[in-house]
Amino acid sequence: MSEQEMIELLATDGMLVKRPILVTENRVLVGFRQAEWEEHFINPNR
C-alpha cells in the first residue's frame, strides 16, 4: 500500500486513527486508554 493509499484509507474511517499501537522493548500498547499510556510514559520500564 502506498503512503497516499494509506492516507486515503485513514481519511475514510476515523476509527483507524483511534487505534494507535506503541511497541517498545518492554511493552506493547494497543488502542488508547489514557491511564495506561500515562503510566507507560511515567514508568516506561514497567
Side-chain angles (χ1 to χ4, degrees):
M1 183 178 282
S2 72
E3 183 175 346
Q4 183 60 37
E5 290 171 322
M6 288 187 273
I7 291 169
E8 289 172 9
L9 180 60
L10 288 171
T12 63
D13 186 354
M15 290 305 291
L16 294 173
V17 177
K18 294 183 177 219
R19 301 283 181 240
I21 299 173
L22 175 69
V23 180
T24 68
E25 289 182 24
N26 303 318
R27 184 182 242 171
V28 175
L29 297 176
V30 178
F32 183 74
R33 289 180 227 42
Q34 185 170 340
E36 192 175 89
W37 283 67
E38 287 175 358
E39 174 64 23
H40 169 73
F41 287 104
I42 292 170
N43 298 304
N45 294 321
R46 289 179 89 194

